[in-house]
């Protein structure tokens, strides 16, 4: 495409896609070349969230003119390319747990308002969610039930062959989902609209003039608007005063009735996010050990600390009793040794707590 392989950048860091950046001549009126992203899904990856649109590029094309600050698109032969947004991610500029400038907070609020105007019957992009995972319009309880069902079937049960012993050692079993359903049931009905469903600091890019761009729309879906807010708050880790401001301003821009019952339901949706993270973070943390050249006691202890934190945060919604830190570390050690032995690979170092 570029005519010079030396100017192609990549593959860029990313979990779900292999991504390359290609400079191409600008459009009329653009004197300088413009960089575009060429992406292909990585094969054989674990997906921890539903994908409800057939194509991210098709969705972005349908949202042009309706949502501000999203990547432009071009078609280069058979490849659909997204414009590479030049700037820094919000996470690079303002790390997790820190506040962000009011001007950027206002742009996020504006994004929520624009999303609220995209209703299920107003978008032509092809949707792929099966009926099993798609709730009836306004059925917030049914929407959350299908998110729980996806986590139970596609994250917990699907990965059971590889993680059964580790789940058991951490006190995670099928009964956890029954307790979770009981804890979060009884949501107020709210009209559905488009959700980004992954609004965290690395999916916002700030350009050179302070404009906020929103990227990575592959987890977008239609559903309960309060879920998008809960996911955003959970991932952003705002300081308390800024979190309160975000909630207040979000309530002003969602559709009529879009914030009904928020005081009662927001804690339930945040509890679901904490519970969901237990299963995804346990799997990701365990698999990250296999990427290390050596796994020693210090590395295991740090991985155990990460798992301990997510377990502690979800004790109430999952109804679990969290093992002691040394037991969590030992469980990880046993899992790692068993995986290494089954693959015919010797562990890089003695692992404490191993079988």
């Amino acid at each position: 495409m570029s005519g010079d392989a030396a100017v192609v950048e990549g593959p860029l860091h990313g979990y779900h896609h292999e991504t390359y950046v290609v400079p191409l001549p600008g459009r009329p009126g653009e004197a300088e070349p413009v960089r575009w992203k060429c992406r292909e899904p990585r094969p054989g990856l674990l997906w921890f969230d539903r994908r409800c649109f057939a194509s991210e590029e098709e969705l972005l094309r349908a949202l042009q003119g309706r949502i501000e600050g999203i990547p432009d698109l071009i078609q280069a032969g058979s490849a659909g390319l997204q414009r590479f947004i030049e700037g820094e991610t919000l996470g690079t500029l303002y790390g997790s747990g820190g506040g962000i400038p009011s001007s950027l907070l206002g742009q996020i609020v504006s994004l929520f308002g624009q999303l609220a105007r995209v209703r299920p019957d107003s978008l032509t992009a092809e949707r792929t969610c099966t009926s099993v995972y798609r709730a009836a319009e306004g059925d917030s309880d049914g929407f959350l039930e299908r998110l729980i069902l996806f986590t139970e079937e596609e994250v917990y049960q699907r990965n059971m062959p590889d993680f059964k012993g580790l789940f058991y050692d951490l006190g995670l079993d099928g009964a956890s989902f029954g307790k979770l359903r009981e804890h979060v049931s009884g949501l107020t009905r709210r009209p559905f609209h488009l959700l980004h469903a992954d609004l965290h600091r690395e999916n916002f890019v700030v350009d050179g003039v302070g404009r906020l761009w929103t990227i990575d729309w592959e987890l977008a879906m239609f559903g309960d608007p309060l879920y998008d807010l809960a996911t955003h708050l959970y991932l952003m880790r705002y300081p308390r005063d800024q979190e309160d401001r975000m909630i207040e301003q979000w309530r002003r821009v969602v559709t009529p009735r879009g914030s009904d019952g928020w005081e009662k339901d927001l804690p339930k949706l945040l509890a679901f996010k904490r519970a969901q993270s237990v299963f995804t973070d346990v799997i990701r943390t365990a698999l990250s050990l296999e990427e290390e050249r050596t796994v020693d006691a210090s590395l295991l202890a740090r991985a155990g600390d990460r798992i301990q934190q997510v377990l502690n945060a979800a004790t109430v919604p999952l109804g679990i009793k969290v093992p002691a830190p040394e037991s969590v570390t030992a469980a990880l050690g046993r899992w790692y040794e068993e995986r290494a032995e089954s693959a015919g690979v010797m562990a890089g170092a003695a692992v404490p707590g191993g079988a």
Side-chain angles (χ1 to χ4, degrees):
M1 295 178 187
S2 66
D4 182 1
V7 301
V8 177
E9 302 173 46
L12 302 184
H13 175 72
Y15 178 77
H16 290 119
H17 293 86
E18 183 171 334
T19 302
Y20 294 85
V21 176
V22 184
L24 298 175
R27 289 172 170 171
E30 293 179 314
E32 299 296 325
V34 174
R35 296 200 292 170
W36 299 84
K37 290 193 300 185
C38 180
R39 306 203 304 168
E40 187 74 13
R42 296 184 187 276
L45 287 181
L46 298 175
W47 282 88
F48 299 113
D49 297 278
R50 296 187 307 176
R51 301 185 71 187
C52 290
F53 286 94
S55 162
E56 182 184 6
E57 283 71 30
E58 183 183 347
L59 172 62
L60 287 172
R61 193 170 292 110
L63 293 177
Q64 298 295 322
R66 304 183 69 176
I67 303 290
E68 298 174 356
I70 60 175
D72 291 335
L73 298 159
I74 61 169
Q75 195 70 27
S78 61
L81 307 183
Q82 294 184 32
R83 183 166 185 153
F84 184 82
I85 306 302
E86 307 288 352
E88 299 285 351
T89 67
L90 197 59
T92 299
L93 297 172
Y94 309 97
S96 180
I100 66 173
S102 296
S103 61
L104 297 177
L105 191 78
Q107 291 181 68
I108 296 175
V109 173
S110 178
L111 171 64
F112 278 124
Q114 293 166 38
L115 288 167
R117 292 191 285 273
V118 182
R119 299 298 306 278
D121 58 357
S122 71
L123 200 65
T124 57
E126 180 186 357
R127 295 166 65 188
T128 56
C129 273
T130 64
S131 58
V132 173
Y133 294 123
R134 189 184 297 187
E137 161 63 27
D139 181 6
S140 299
D141 248 349
F143 172 77
L144 182 54
E145 163 56 27
R146 282 155 179 80
L147 292 175
I148 295 172
L149 184 64
F150 183 91
T151 302
E152 183 178 24
E153 293 183 344
E154 299 299 324
V155 181
Y156 177 71
Q157 294 177 1
R158 182 179 289 272
N159 291 287
M160 184 66 75
D162 291 327
F163 294 93
K164 182 177 181 179
L166 183 56
F167 287 152
Y168 177 82
D169 288 341
L170 298 177
L172 302 171
D173 56 31
S176 302
F177 289 94
K179 295 169 184 174
L180 175 60
R181 287 180 168 93
E182 183 179 352
H183 184 77
V184 301
S185 66
L187 298 183
T188 302
R189 292 182 65 87
R190 283 174 286 271
F192 287 2
H193 66 229
L194 184 64
L195 319 178
H196 180 283
D198 199 24
L199 291 173
H200 58 75
R201 293 175 193 245
E202 295 306 314
N203 282 343
F204 290 117
V205 178
V206 183
D207 68 15
V209 296
R211 184 181 181 187
L212 194 71
W213 297 77
T214 308
I215 61 173
D216 287 358
W217 289 78
E218 59 198 355
L219 301 185
M221 66 180 81
F222 285 104
D224 181 356
L226 191 60
Y227 175 74
D228 221 10
L229 176 66
T231 301
H232 177 64
L233 298 179
Y234 178 75
L235 296 174
M236 288 289 288
R237 304 286 200 269
Y238 286 116
R240 182 55 186 270
D241 62 330
Q242 199 158 59
E243 178 175 299
D244 291 342
R245 284 177 54 201
M246 172 56 72
I247 294 171
E248 179 183 357
Q249 294 183 38
W250 173 86
R251 291 175 58 205
R252 294 175 180 171
V253 299
V254 294
T255 54
R257 296 185 46 243
S259 64
D260 283 0
W262 76 269
E263 289 181 289
K264 172 179 69 74
D265 291 351
L266 182 57
K268 294 181 179 182
L269 289 165
L270 288 170
F272 165 72
K273 296 305 298 185
R274 293 194 297 271
Q276 180 190 41
S277 288
V278 166
F279 299 98
T280 60
D281 288 1
V282 165
I283 293 172
R284 283 174 172 155
T285 300
L287 290 177
S288 71
L289 297 176
E290 296 186 323
E291 300 173 2
E292 301 291 337
R293 295 183 65 180
T294 60
V295 174
D296 57 18
S298 176
L299 182 61
L300 268 180
R302 291 195 299 272
D305 285 344
R306 289 196 296 273
I307 291 179
Q308 188 88 30
Q309 290 175 17
V310 297
L311 289 172
N312 286 338
T315 53
V316 175
L318 290 177
I320 56 176
K321 183 177 180 181
V322 181
E326 58 272 18
S327 298
V328 173
T329 301
L332 272 175
R334 286 192 293 274
W335 179 87
Y336 176 75
E337 283 196 331
E338 290 167 1
R339 291 275 286 194
E341 290 171 2
S342 66
V345 178
M346 293 298 293
V351 180

